[in-house]
Amino acid sequence: MVVRNYNQELEFLEKINPYCWRIKKGFQPNMNVEGVFYVNQTLEKLMLDELKNACRPGMVGGFLPGVKQIANVAALPGIVGKSVGLPDIHSGYGFAIGNMAAFDINDPKSVVSPGGVGFDINCGVRLLRTNLFEQDVLPVKEQLAQSLFDHIPVGVGSKGIIPMNSKDLEEALEMGMDWSLREGYIWAEDKEHCEEYGRMLNADPSKVSMRAKKRGLPQLGTLGAGNHYAEIQVVDEIFDKWAACKMGIEEVGQVCVMIHSGSRGFGHQVATDALVQMEKAMKRDNIETNDRQLACARISSVEGQDYLKSMAAAANFAWVNRSSMTFLSRQAFAKQFHMAPDDLDMQVIYDVSHNIAKVEEHIVDGKQKTLLVHRKGSTRAFPPHHPLIPVDYQLTGQPVLIGGTMGTCSYVLTGTEQGMSETFGSTCHGAGRALSRAKSRRNIEYTEVLRKMEDMGISIRVASPKLVMEEAPESYKNVTDVVNTCHAAGISKKAIKLRPIAVIKG
Amino acid sequence: MPPYTPEELALPSKKYEYLDHTADVQLHSWGDTLKEAFEQCGIAMFGYMTELETVDIRQNPEIEATGHDLESLLFNFLNELLFLFSSDPFVVCSKLDITEFSTEGEELRIKCKCYGEEFALGKHPQGTEVKAITYSAMQIINDTENNKFELFVIIDI
């Protein structure tokens, strides 16, 4: 590989507008298409600093900067359009986190890559509304936070409390939220406000290893650890009154519940298994990539198909998981307020996936094409009138839920036409890390973080004190910067801003 | 509970650390032999999940891992340990004893006794969950001449 200094590297990057940069071919070898990334001034500095660091002489054993990873993805066989980096991008495994890429299904060379989905398959965010207001909740905030914490199993080693045996698991993997509905954990309307209606039809549990099922069974209905959380939030600002209305959000101060979780050990194991399989397939089919971590297989190959079927099962697992926690949250609220969840109007506003690969129709160079769209740390953001979004949001565009980090705001955006044509209907997913976990542990005091949360009026229940340091807001990019960039670049549009009043974490 | 000898109950000294990585954690372990570095690397992973001082030795399940090169051996070894923790019997370990360590030939193999106990909320503080082991920037320093044995592994959390 050619070694270039930072200034030579910069020649391959071009700022095309205040929010968008182009990565020219040649930045990394064999690029089939160009790369592009969306940043504002603040985020741009983070992005370029990462590159500068990697260019320091004598830099070994480090990791690839996000911008290099975007370019490596652009070199994968069958990629169309551009390899896109969203504003919350940071270095990840193979694909950067905050990277999306689409592959032409009808091109026999096209690939599917588990690295383009991530280990936590169908990690996502769900938002429930209530008809409560901040003043209703404030007097009982501590009790409510404790109750949520008691209801939802969180953190390492916690086990689900929804009764499940291996036969139930098989059915849940195949049926997704239809299983939750049949078992009485959710409402029929919940499915309507969920990507894919909470069920990927191509899921095939028989393609999933025993090992993944064994890891998954005890963890169904658990929140997990890391950046996952359940939060009680209040509406802080409404940018788009009409869109907010369609989502059942009427006024500032209204209380919502946000759940951020994924497919737990089940999805992690599916991804691990697939990576091992694909290493073999790559050798057999002579697929060359710039980075060993970009393990992939032709979409049409047995390995590619098996991965897509087991990934779909993991996606279903994640939906059932979020549905189980929806059930538990509704129970917690119902007990606290002595009212049925129904009377509290605890409807699902929407549920998004931000680690997934999906088959979608897009227009590429004026022609309609069937693509396999990988979104890793990126959220689907379909525009108004798109056939795959529910009837309630046909006029507003798909709601896009952007979870903040512990103690920071979260946002609801809507999809736009511009996003559809520029980024294959994709936008950011959250804040994106800025500091490493080890650095956070060293630099940030546990008690300091908790005191700050208290000052902001946020109740917090957390299983692991160490995690509080790692997940402190300082460790992340500013979610407002990220969201404002998406809004300014036109790839999605701000609708609602939410502020947490209670956080439950692993 | 099988009786354990004092040697079995003695914990090894700590020969690992956690290094910087943006989203994940890099384990760095070392030892007087490559085998020891492997054992230490496994313990380092458990050390991220809970406080190892709280773990008593009550069981010692055995695991086996194979690989076609040292990297895949290490990857599979850690994967087996992660699996031991994340499904029945949910064992968290404070000591690992590799009883067979063959790194020659076509198939490399590890057999390891894992000393620890079932993870119990309330007894063991919850650390961070390990999602997966990765090959990302994996380094194995196996320098018998200078007696240098070190491992670097990034775990996804």
Side-chain angles (χ1 to χ4, degrees):
Chain A
M1 208 170 88
V2 236
V3 178
R4 290 186 291 249
N5 68 32
Y6 178 60
N7 285 326
Q8 289 167 326
E9 295 280 25
L10 278 185
E11 284 174 22
F12 288 89
L13 304 179
E14 182 196 350
K15 192 170 184 171
I16 44 182
N17 69 42
Y19 304 101
C20 188
W21 287 65
R22 188 160 77 103
I23 306 172
K24 294 181 216 167
K25 285 188 186 178
F27 185 59
Q28 286 291 81
N30 310 319
M31 285 170 70
N32 294 318
V33 297
E34 291 192 332
V36 65
F37 60 94
Y38 294 84
V39 285
N40 68 6
Q41 238 171 6
T42 328
L43 300 169
E44 169 185 309
K45 196 176 167 305
L46 285 172
M47 187 89 178
L48 296 178
D49 278 353
E50 203 183 39
L51 178 65
K52 203 182 213 165
N53 255 326
C55 287
R56 272 199 325 239
M59 188 70 190
V60 282
F63 50 89
L64 277 176
V67 58
K68 284 276 175 192
Q69 291 190 315
I70 300 176
N72 280 339
V73 167
L76 289 176
I79 185 168
V80 296
K82 280 172 245 166
S83 170
V84 180
L86 285 318
D88 47 349
I89 194 158
H90 62 87
S91 178
Y93 185 83
F95 278 61
I97 295 158
N99 192 181
M100 69 76 45
F103 299 81
D104 185 351
I105 285 204
N106 294 315
D107 176 348
K109 286 205 188 72
S110 285
V111 293
V112 53
S113 171
V117 171
F119 282 106
D120 197 356
I121 297 167
N122 192 7
C123 183
V125 179
R126 172 176 292 198
L127 186 65
L128 312 178
R129 69 174 184 238
T130 71
N131 54 13
L132 298 165
F133 279 81
E134 194 174 3
Q135 64 267 27
D136 304 320
V137 170
L138 279 186
V140 293
K141 190 167 63 120
E142 291 297 329
Q143 292 94 310
L144 193 58
Q146 187 61 40
S147 172
L148 263 186
F149 190 67
D150 295 339
H151 275 77
I152 302 177
V154 302
V156 182
S158 60
K159 293 176 193 164
I161 50 170
I162 303 254
M164 289 283 279
N165 58 32
S166 50
K167 184 171 160 279
D168 295 324
L169 180 68
E170 294 283 331
E171 290 176 354
L173 294 177
E174 194 184 321
M175 296 169 67
M177 277 169 70
D178 282 333
W179 181 85
S180 305
L181 182 61
R182 190 189 74 188
E183 300 295 313
Y185 292 117
I186 58 164
W187 305 339
E189 314 83 284
D190 294 356
K191 277 181 45 157
E192 180 77 14
H193 285 181
C194 189
E195 284 187 30
E196 313 286 317
Y197 302 101
R199 174 181 190 171
M200 274 184 132
L201 292 169
N202 60 335
D204 184 351
S206 72
K207 301 292 180 199
V208 175
S209 70
M210 215 39 225
R211 177 161 285 221
K213 289 173 189 168
K214 280 196 177 148
R215 275 183 76 177
L217 183 58
Q219 292 188 339
L220 192 68
T222 62
L223 185 74
N227 57 356
H228 295 156
Y229 59 77
E231 280 186 351
I232 304 173
Q233 306 177 334
V234 294
V235 174
D236 194 52
E237 203 176 337
I238 296 176
F239 307 102
D240 183 341
K241 185 144 181 61
W242 180 67
C245 242
K246 289 275 175 196
M247 300 175 202
I249 297 297
E250 283 160 24
E251 271 180 76
V252 168
Q254 196 170 338
V255 173
C256 295
V257 179
M258 185 175 270
I259 298 168
H260 176 201
S261 184
S263 51
R264 316 287 295 105
F266 183 85
H268 311 159
Q269 191 64 43
V270 166
T272 302
D273 293 341
L275 285 170
V276 173
Q277 291 302 316
M278 288 195 179
E279 286 241 319
K280 293 177 197 154
M282 281 172 81
K283 273 195 198 134
R284 185 196 60 210
D285 297 342
N286 295 320
I287 303 174
E288 300 255 335
T289 59
N290 290 341
D291 180 358
R292 184 184 177 183
Q293 292 173 35
L294 286 170
C296 56
R298 301 230 160 97
I299 297 175
S300 52
S301 68
V302 178
E303 290 80 6
Q305 284 300 313
D306 283 357
Y307 172 66
L308 285 172
K309 286 171 188 165
S310 47
M311 183 207 73
N316 287 346
F317 183 105
W319 281 313
V320 172
N321 195 36
R322 288 198 285 277
S323 294
S324 303
M325 286 183 283
T326 303
F327 169 77
L328 297 170
S329 309
R330 283 173 177 157
Q331 293 300 310
F333 268 75
K335 283 181 198 162
Q336 184 66 50
F337 293 98
H338 306 290
M339 279 168 83
D342 214 3
D343 295 328
L344 289 166
D345 190 34
M346 293 185 76
Q347 297 281 356
V348 172
I349 290 182
Y350 207 64
D351 177 303
V352 295
S353 315
H354 52 224
N355 278 8
I356 204 155
K358 286 192 198 186
V359 179
E360 292 170 4
E361 299 288 320
H362 287 273
I363 307 289
V364 183
D365 302 326
K367 283 192 213 101
Q368 184 174 342
K369 284 197 166 160
T370 309
L371 306 178
L372 184 65
V373 181
H374 291 63
R375 292 192 184 91
K376 182 188 194 180
S378 161
T379 318
R380 190 185 79 176
F382 278 167
H385 311 297
H386 193 284
L388 289 182
I389 59 178
V391 65
D392 295 345
Y393 302 127
Q394 273 293 316
L395 299 179
T396 60
Q398 177 210 314
V400 181
L401 312 173
I402 307 300
T405 53
M406 196 173 67
T408 67
C409 295
S410 295
Y411 287 85
V412 182
L413 317 177
T414 50
T416 63
E417 274 303 337
Q418 195 183 344
M420 195 64 190
S421 54
E422 275 187 33
T423 58
F424 297 95
S426 312
T427 189
C428 64
H429 85 300
R433 286 198 78 87
L435 276 190
S436 75
R437 289 182 183 271
K439 204 173 266 167
S440 305
R441 280 193 184 198
R442 282 199 302 272
N443 298 350
I444 302 167
E445 273 294 320
Y446 163 57
T447 45
E448 175 75 3
V449 181
L450 289 191
R451 201 183 47 77
K452 263 194 199 161
M453 294 284 147
E454 206 180 284
D455 289 349
M456 288 190 284
I458 303 171
S459 310
I460 177 157
R461 296 290 182 283
V462 58
S464 159
K466 276 185 194 159
L467 196 69
V468 173
M469 305 182 271
E470 293 181 7
E471 295 289 323
E474 296 91 310
S475 314
Y476 282 86
K477 291 176 183 168
N478 184 343
V479 65
T480 305
D481 266 331
V482 168
V483 164
N484 284 344
T485 306
C486 290
H487 182 83
I491 55 176
S492 45
K493 192 168 157 232
K494 288 199 283 187
I496 303 167
K497 180 181 177 190
L498 299 146
R499 146 177 75 82
I501 55 170
V503 185
I504 282 89
K505 271 186 88 71
Chain B
M1 195 208 299
Y4 292 101
T5 62
E7 290 84 61
E8 282 183 297
L9 291 173
L11 294 182
S13 53
K14 181 176 161 182
K15 296 185 179 177
Y16 59 83
E17 61 179 346
Y18 304 107
L19 299 176
D20 273 1
H21 189 267
T22 321
D24 304 317
V25 165
Q26 190 168 30
L27 307 176
H28 173 211
S29 72
W30 56 93
D32 298 333
T33 58
L34 188 63
K35 176 169 108 62
E36 190 186 8
F38 265 67
E39 290 168 349
Q40 288 284 342
C41 194
I43 298 170
M45 182 172 75
F46 285 113
Y48 218 77
M49 299 170 178
T50 189
E51 309 284 338
L52 293 180
E53 305 82 68
T54 63
V55 177
D56 293 316
I57 292 177
R58 291 166 189 277
Q59 356 177 352
N60 59 344
E62 198 177 44
I63 57 148
E64 249 190 81
T66 57
H68 57 86
D69 55 11
L70 277 178
E71 281 79 11
S72 62
L73 185 67
L74 177 59
F75 179 86
N76 290 333
F77 172 62
L78 293 175
N79 246 329
E80 289 297 328
L81 293 175
L82 178 59
F83 185 62
L84 191 67
F85 174 81
S86 24
S87 69
D88 203 28
F90 306 101
V91 172
V92 56
C93 304
S94 56
K95 178 179 176 172
L96 298 172
D97 181 15
I98 296 182
T99 52
E100 186 187 328
F101 192 66
S102 61
T103 53
E104 305 285 318
E106 274 289 292
E107 192 184 63
L108 289 63
R109 177 183 293 276
I110 284 182
K111 271 190 189 165
C112 178
K113 278 191 176 163
C114 310
Y115 293 91
E117 63 177 328
E118 182 171 345
F119 185 86
L121 293 178
K123 176 169 188 191
H124 304 121
Q126 288 172 288
T128 306
E129 193 166 59
V130 176
K131 286 183 188 167
I133 319 300
T134 76
Y135 278 111
S136 165
M138 185 188 276
Q139 273 187 64
I140 299 181
I141 299 172
N142 184 17
D143 184 353
T144 35
E145 257 169 50
N146 299 310
N147 254 339
K148 226 176 122 190
F149 304 98
E150 292 183 50
L151 306 176
F152 294 86
V153 186
I154 291 178
I155 51 175
D156 191 305
I157 56 176

